[in-house]
Amino acid sequence: MPKYFYNALIDTGTLHMIALSGMNISILINLAGKATLFMGKKISIIITIFLITIFTLFVGASPSIVRAAIMGSFSLVAVYFGRLDWSLLSLFLAGGLMLLFRPFLVYDLSFQLSFLATLGITLFSINTKKVASRLLYRLLFPVLENLRMTLAAQIFTLPIILYKFHRISLVSPLANLLLEWVIQPVMVLGFITVILGKIWLPLGIIPSWFAWLLLSYMIFIIEILAKIPGASIKF
């Protein structure tokens, strides 16, 4: 990766988008759940947890991925038993188990940022049932939800970012709002490209075109926002 683009990712607060994180586990749970729901809730949850385990082993058990994998698995078990409000409990159970076996993770930056970002998103979650009847909210829900999650994660991780990196991105909320929706289709298209390309290389070229379009859009937005004067303030 060119150094200028790496710096642009930092200046726009979008470096997390190219890193494996809990977002990838969430996408996997969402896609696997939808694809296997017809098999029944129990079988679907077992298959999804199995895929989470395989994915974690395949990409490497980094602290953020392990935390997300444990938390995702706990959440699926909670769904099976009809407990839909276990998000906060799952987070602390996941963090506690990891620290029990590897106490020095408490000093790991990846673990700190991942835990605090998830804590912020969980604490500032919205009960959508209470606002489901509001037509305007339902129309704007994808945008508002994306903005809420972005701001919640950034607020809770801000102290560590300021302490460790001595900088703050002022365009980060806008950058994440414009780019967050790209991550899931890129992940899916990349997976399809790899599978079809393994079967027959020309087949993999077709989905890669669509992935290329989305990635080009992502790169364009990051480079444009990084050029804004005062996009990132260093201390």
Side-chain angles (χ1 to χ4, degrees):
M1 179 186 301
K3 188 175 181 179
Y4 83 90
F5 186 69
Y6 181 82
N7 290 330
L9 288 167
I10 297 175
D11 290 337
T12 55
T14 53
L15 186 61
H16 65 279
M17 291 188 178
I18 65 166
L20 289 167
S21 64
M23 182 187 300
N24 302 99
I25 295 291
S26 298
I27 292 173
L28 177 63
I29 291 174
N30 183 42
L31 296 177
K34 289 179 178 178
T36 59
L37 191 59
F38 71 96
M39 300 180 182
K41 185 165 68 173
K42 182 178 180 179
I43 300 299
S44 176
I45 289 174
I46 292 173
I47 292 176
T48 303
I49 292 177
F50 173 75
L51 291 176
I52 290 173
T53 304
I54 296 298
F55 179 80
T56 303
L57 294 174
F58 181 75
V59 301
S62 65
S64 59
I65 286 291
V66 172
R67 191 274 309 156
I70 296 174
M71 186 177 175
S73 300
F74 277 144
S75 298
L76 288 170
V77 173
V79 169
Y80 177 75
F81 287 105
R83 303 281 184 172
L84 302 180
D85 55 349
W86 276 18
S87 297
L88 196 59
L89 177 61
S90 299
L91 173 61
F92 281 96
L93 282 174
L97 282 174
M98 293 176 69
L99 291 175
L100 181 63
F101 290 99
R102 295 181 62 188
F104 289 102
L105 274 179
V106 72
Y107 302 107
D108 186 274
L109 181 61
S110 174
F111 177 80
Q112 294 171 357
L113 292 175
S114 176
F115 187 90
L116 289 174
T118 307
L119 179 61
I121 292 171
T122 303
L123 291 178
F124 283 89
S125 61
I126 297 173
N127 188 348
T128 55
K129 292 181 180 179
K130 293 181 179 180
V131 293
S133 59
R134 302 176 188 176
L135 178 60
L136 181 61
Y137 185 87
R138 281 187 289 173
L139 292 175
L140 297 176
F141 177 75
V143 175
L144 295 176
E145 181 70 0
N146 189 2
L147 181 60
R148 178 191 65 78
M149 292 173 58
T150 298
L151 291 177
Q154 289 179 344
I155 289 171
F156 272 71
T157 57
L158 184 60
I160 290 182
I161 290 175
L162 290 177
Y163 178 73
K164 293 286 186 180
F165 300 107
H166 307 288
R167 73 168 63 188
I168 181 173
S169 174
L170 300 181
V171 299
S172 180
L174 176 60
N176 281 270
L177 189 63
L178 293 174
L179 297 175
E180 201 75 43
W181 65 273
V182 175
I183 304 303
Q184 179 165 325
V186 165
M187 181 177 172
V188 173
L189 288 168
F191 177 76
I192 295 174
T193 297
V194 171
I195 297 300
L196 294 182
K198 272 290 185 180
I199 297 172
W200 187 42
L201 186 59
L203 282 177
I205 294 176
I206 298 174
S208 71
W209 285 340
F210 295 98
W212 174 80
L213 286 172
L214 292 174
L215 289 170
S216 297
Y217 162 79
M218 182 177 176
I219 292 171
F220 173 76
I221 294 296
I222 290 171
E223 290 180 340
I224 290 296
L225 292 180
K227 293 178 182 178
I228 296 177
S232 178
I233 299 178
K234 298 180 181 179
F235 298 91

